[in-house]
Amino acid sequence: MKINILILILSIAFFDFSCAEKQKSDNSSALGALSIINGCGTIATTVASIGSTTRTQFDFTNCNNPSALSGFTVSNITSGLSGSSTSSKLGSTGTYGSSAFKVNIEVTYILNSSTSYLDIIAMGSGTGTELTGPGFRISPSDVKYIPTSGTPTSFGTGSSPSSTVGVSKSLCLEVHQEGSGSHIFGWDGACSLVTNRGTYTFDQENVVGSISDRKIGFTLNNVILSKIIVSNGELGTAGSLQNF
């Protein structure tokens, strides 16, 4: 009889312990899920420098709440970061690049349709997501440069790369203030894969329009922006395209 009572007491104790542990585990899982839902999940990290530049990476892959993204103003963008129209925009609250108005931006993105485009404003001025300045327009067919007037224009030198719809792609992009205008150029692929920093895949010098600030901005028209890496200066070493 005593043995049966002892077994019953031990069984009840084990049941209570198991329930407590399960509740603790469930609570931890719930808190973890809540953290993922409520937090952007995006952390700025330093990645390998190229030349004398230091580079900061923003990985948006697990950003489930873009409105919580620190350092940026976000409009009409969902998890990912995924934009659905010309009103899907992202603008930095701080400045990037060097005080000499030189910046390099590596972008990793997916164009979701044949009419998609990703606009990138480098050395932009303005507030919130409404930034103006020189930059790039990436579409499935090509890459164009954007002068301060805002009208995308074909590059005068080099070969503009295409982007396959639905496939992740990276480009290494750069803007310099030179004289009274801008030098806008880039390479097809990630910056870490560039073997000749004096030769550019696409290039445009003497773009009319001066630069007055150093913010960066993006328009995600049916685009997923997965990652950006921003330098504190330039990667390019030549004033114009060579060896083409």
Side-chain angles (χ1 to χ4, degrees):
M1 184 63 144
K2 291 183 179 179
I3 293 176
N4 290 337
I5 293 173
L6 180 60
I7 291 173
L8 178 61
I9 293 172
L10 290 174
S11 297
I12 293 172
F14 178 78
F15 177 79
D16 288 342
F17 176 79
S18 298
C19 288
E21 285 302 297
K22 184 177 186 302
Q23 185 177 12
K24 180 180 178 182
S25 177
D26 289 346
N27 289 342
S28 297
S29 297
L31 288 173
L34 187 62
S35 176
I36 291 172
I37 292 171
N38 290 338
C40 190
T42 303
I43 301 174
T45 57
T46 300
V47 294
S49 61
I50 298 178
S52 61
T53 66
T54 56
R55 306 165 72 225
T56 302
Q57 173 177 284
F58 297 87
D59 188 342
F60 302 125
T61 306
N62 296 316
C63 185
N64 298 294
N65 184 11
S67 62
L69 181 58
S70 178
F72 293 89
T73 302
V74 178
S75 176
N76 298 312
I77 292 178
T78 58
S79 301
L81 303 173
S82 180
S84 59
S85 69
T86 57
S87 65
S88 300
K89 296 185 177 184
L90 176 74
S92 73
T93 56
T95 59
Y96 293 88
S98 72
S99 57
F101 295 112
K102 297 182 179 183
V103 69
N104 179 283
I105 305 173
E106 179 181 316
V107 291
T108 301
Y109 59 90
I110 299 173
L111 303 182
N112 288 326
S113 74
S114 60
T115 58
S116 296
Y117 65 77
L118 171 62
D119 279 358
I120 300 160
I121 299 300
M123 299 294 170
S125 59
T127 57
T129 60
E130 299 305 313
L131 303 179
T132 59
F136 304 82
R137 171 164 291 185
I138 302 168
S139 68
S141 59
D142 60 14
V143 179
K144 290 181 168 65
Y145 73 89
I146 301 176
T148 51
S149 65
T151 303
T153 306
S154 297
F155 281 93
T157 313
S159 177
S160 179
S162 60
S163 299
T164 303
V165 172
V167 177
S168 179
K169 184 177 177 68
S170 296
L171 292 174
C172 184
L173 310 170
E174 193 154 321
V175 175
H176 295 179
Q177 172 71 59
E178 292 182 1
S180 60
S182 304
H183 184 195
I184 303 176
F185 57 92
W187 297 266
D188 186 5
C191 295
S192 59
L193 301 179
V194 174
T195 56
N196 186 343
R197 292 165 54 201
T199 299
Y200 313 136
T201 307
F202 42 95
D203 177 74
Q204 186 68 44
E205 291 193 283
N206 302 316
V207 178
V208 176
S210 61
I211 297 173
S212 59
D213 205 349
R214 295 187 286 133
K215 294 180 179 179
I216 58 175
F218 306 85
T219 299
L220 282 59
N221 183 26
N222 289 311
V223 173
I224 297 172
L225 183 60
S226 306
K227 181 175 65 176
I228 62 174
I229 302 176
V230 188
S231 77
N232 69 337
E234 74 275 17
L235 272 61
T237 58
S240 61
L241 182 142
Q242 302 174 351
N243 300 328
F244 269 88

